[in-house]
């Protein structure tokens, strides 16, 4: 069965000298758990969309990652979350931004895609729609972690808006998944809590279709992670699709050019995961590392720094 799945838990990692063996072990275990959830869908004949939602839901439920339960605090001491997904077969997409209290933002993005005439809903309106669709909510205590709160206090003290993997941050960030199912269908999903101490309702690339997320069965499915402003300016996810469609680049060629040339030369730090129509996977990044994993041709592997295990 030719199925493939790749996931990420954020580009940019804690420096090696600060990473304890126990911390690294926990990272690999969390990534493997998310991979297992997505792979289980695919090997049972499920579609790519259900697989990426299963994997991202698992990542959102894990307190280590900056999405769902582990989301960072914004300047008001709240958790404002974003998510999106796209189906490569139908070209349908759904996204939410600046939402509070929704336990699994990626599942609300699916409701937007399937049960509204819109692509992107924001804030209170998105939350009202979630209640209509009976999407699960959780109290503030569910999203609270002492580690995130400490990051928030430090950021406020220095009056800075910080990427999740900045100097004294936890090493996890935006999460995502891409998949190819047995029928050749592609899908991508991305979810994030954004930047610590973010202000003014800031929204990054995660819920922007074409910037942080893209899927088209002709070419590829992509989920991005990094400094969102750069990914939006470069329209990164869609750019990879265009290089493949109009210039006949391979998946790896397109990903490498965008991440390690176009993004890097403009100061954009981050990475992405992608899968093409044949099930090939690419996971480039220009930061010290990227929390990631893949399942391809029966092989499952996870990585934090450059090496995979």
């Amino acid at each position: 069965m030719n199925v493939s799945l790749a996931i990420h838990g954020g580009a940019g990692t804690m420096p090696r000298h600060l990473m304890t063996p126990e911390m690294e072990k926990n990272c690999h275990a969390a990534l493997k758990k998310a991979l297992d959830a997505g792979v289980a869908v695919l090997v049972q004949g499920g579609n790519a969309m259900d697989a990426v939602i299963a994997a991202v839901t698992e990542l959102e439920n894990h307190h280590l990652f900056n999405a769902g339960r582990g989301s960072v605090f914004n300047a008001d001491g709240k958790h404002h979350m974003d998510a999106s997904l796209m189906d490569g077969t139908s070209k349908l997409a759904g996204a939410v931004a600046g939402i509070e209290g929704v336990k699994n933002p990626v599942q609300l993005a699916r409701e937007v895609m399937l049960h509204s005439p819109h692509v992107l809903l924001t804030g209170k309106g998105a939350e009202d729609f979630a209640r209509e669709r009976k999407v699960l909510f959780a109290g503030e205590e569910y999203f609270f972690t002492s580690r995130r709160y400490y990051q928030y206090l430090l950021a406020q003290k220095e009056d800075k808006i910080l990427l999740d993997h900045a100097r004294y941050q936890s090493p996890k960030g935006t999460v995502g998944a891409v998949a190819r199912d047995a029928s050749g269908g592609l899908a991508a999903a991305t979810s994030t809590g954004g930047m610590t101490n973010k202000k003014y309702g800031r929204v990054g690339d995660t819920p922007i279709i074409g910037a942080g997320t893209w899927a088209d069965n002709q070419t590829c499915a992509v989920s991005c992670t990094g400094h969102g402003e750069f990914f939006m300016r470069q329209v990164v996810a869609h750019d990879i699709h265009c290089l493949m469609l109009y210039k006949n680049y391979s998946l790896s060629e397109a990903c490498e050019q965008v991440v390690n040339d176009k993004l890097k030369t403009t100061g954009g730090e981050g990475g992405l995961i992608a899968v093409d129509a044949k099930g090939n996977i690419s996971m480039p990044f220009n930061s010290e590392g990227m929390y990631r994993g893949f399942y391809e041709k029966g092989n499952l592997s996870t990585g934090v720094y450059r090496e995979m295990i």
Side-chain angles (χ1 to χ4, degrees), residues 18 44 74-75 121 216 252 267:
L18 296 177
Q44 293 170 18
N74 69 5
L121 298 182
D216 188 321
S252 61

Side-chain angles (χ1 to χ4, degrees), residues 132-170:
E132 287 184 12
R133 297 301 308 166
K134 295 181 169 40
V135 173
L136 288 178
F137 279 73
E140 288 188 9
E141 68 281 357
Y142 174 80
F143 299 96
F144 181 92
T145 62
S146 57
R147 183 185 69 258
R148 296 298 190 200
Y149 190 63
Y150 176 65
Q151 295 166 8
Y152 164 64
L153 293 178
L154 288 173
Q156 286 230 314
K157 182 178 180 181
E158 296 188 9
D159 193 24
K160 291 182 178 179
I161 302 170
L162 300 166
L163 286 174
D164 185 51
H165 53 266
R167 178 166 52 87
Y168 43 69
Q169 299 280 301
S170 166

Side-chain angles (χ1 to χ4, degrees), residues 20 38 41 46 83 167 299 309:
T20 67
V41 173
R167 178 166 52 87
N299 298 312
I309 65 170

Side-chain angles (χ1 to χ4, degrees), residues 36-142:
D36 287 343
V39 170
V41 173
L42 294 173
V43 299
Q44 293 170 18
N47 62 44
M49 179 56 66
D50 287 343
V52 297
I53 290 172
V56 171
T57 295
E58 196 64 53
L59 293 167
E60 288 178 337
N61 288 342
H62 204 296
H63 67 90
L64 287 176
F65 298 99
N66 178 20
R69 184 183 177 193
S71 294
V72 298
F73 289 83
N74 69 5
D76 297 323
K78 303 291 185 179
H79 305 282
H80 278 188
M81 301 170 288
D82 310 327
S84 69
L85 47 80
M86 185 169 181
D87 177 57
T89 301
S90 65
K91 309 300 192 300
L92 292 175
V96 291
I99 59 171
E100 292 185 46
V102 175
K103 185 177 180 182
N104 292 109
V106 73
Q107 295 186 16
L108 179 54
R110 174 170 56 182
E111 294 298 309
V112 173
M113 180 181 76
L114 296 178
H115 301 290
S116 85
H118 310 300
V119 171
L120 174 62
L121 298 182
T122 67
K124 184 180 182 299
E127 293 159 20
D128 290 342
F129 178 74
R131 293 184 180 92
E132 287 184 12
R133 297 301 308 166
K134 295 181 169 40
V135 173
L136 288 178
F137 279 73
E140 288 188 9
E141 68 281 357
Y142 174 80

Side-chain angles (χ1 to χ4, degrees), residues 73-306:
F73 289 83
N74 69 5
D76 297 323
K78 303 291 185 179
H79 305 282
H80 278 188
M81 301 170 288
D82 310 327
S84 69
L85 47 80
M86 185 169 181
D87 177 57
T89 301
S90 65
K91 309 300 192 300
L92 292 175
V96 291
I99 59 171
E100 292 185 46
V102 175
K103 185 177 180 182
N104 292 109
V106 73
Q107 295 186 16
L108 179 54
R110 174 170 56 182
E111 294 298 309
V112 173
M113 180 181 76
L114 296 178
H115 301 290
S116 85
H118 310 300
V119 171
L120 174 62
L121 298 182
T122 67
K124 184 180 182 299
E127 293 159 20
D128 290 342
F129 178 74
R131 293 184 180 92
E132 287 184 12
R133 297 301 308 166
K134 295 181 169 40
V135 173
L136 288 178
F137 279 73
E140 288 188 9
E141 68 281 357
Y142 174 80
F143 299 96
F144 181 92
T145 62
S146 57
R147 183 185 69 258
R148 296 298 190 200
Y149 190 63
Y150 176 65
Q151 295 166 8
Y152 164 64
L153 293 178
L154 288 173
Q156 286 230 314
K157 182 178 180 181
E158 296 188 9
D159 193 24
K160 291 182 178 179
I161 302 170
L162 300 166
L163 286 174
D164 185 51
H165 53 266
R167 178 166 52 87
Y168 43 69
Q169 299 280 301
S170 166
K172 319 297 188 304
T174 301
V175 306
V178 295
R180 181 200 187 274
D181 60 37
S183 299
L186 302 180
T190 314
S191 180
T192 189
M195 301 172 78
T196 296
N197 202 35
K198 62 185 178 182
K199 302 176 181 179
Y200 314 120
R202 180 263 183 186
V203 175
D205 65 306
T206 291
I208 308 301
I209 301 302
T213 303
W214 182 262
D216 188 321
N217 285 2
Q218 294 183 86
T219 55
C220 60
V222 182
S223 174
C224 300
T225 171
H227 196 149
E229 279 69 16
F230 293 90
F231 283 74
M232 285 189 282
R233 292 173 190 140
Q234 300 280 2
V235 200
V236 166
H238 187 258
D239 196 22
I240 291 168
H241 157 78
C242 290
L243 288 170
M244 295 178 70
L245 185 64
Y246 302 124
K247 298 191 72 173
N248 294 317
Y249 278 37
S250 68
L251 180 70
S252 61
E253 289 172 339
C255 290
E256 284 297 321
Q257 176 164 334
V258 172
V259 172
N260 288 311
D261 184 5
K262 296 180 70 174
L263 263 179
K264 197 170 184 179
T265 56
T266 60
E269 181 185 359
L272 58 84
I273 54 173
V275 62
D276 68 16
K278 296 180 180 179
N280 299 308
I281 288 172
S282 182
M283 301 186 292
F285 52 93
N286 61 35
S287 49
E288 184 170 356
M290 181 170 73
Y291 295 82
R292 65 204 186 279
F294 72 87
Y295 175 87
E296 182 181 27
K297 299 176 182 177
N299 298 312
L300 187 150
S301 185
T302 57
V304 174
Y305 297 100
R306 293 290 165 179

Side-chain angles (χ1 to χ4, degrees), residues 27-43:
C27 292
H28 285 286
L31 290 166
K32 185 178 184 302
K33 189 175 182 181
L35 274 174
D36 287 343
V39 170
V41 173
L42 294 173
V43 299

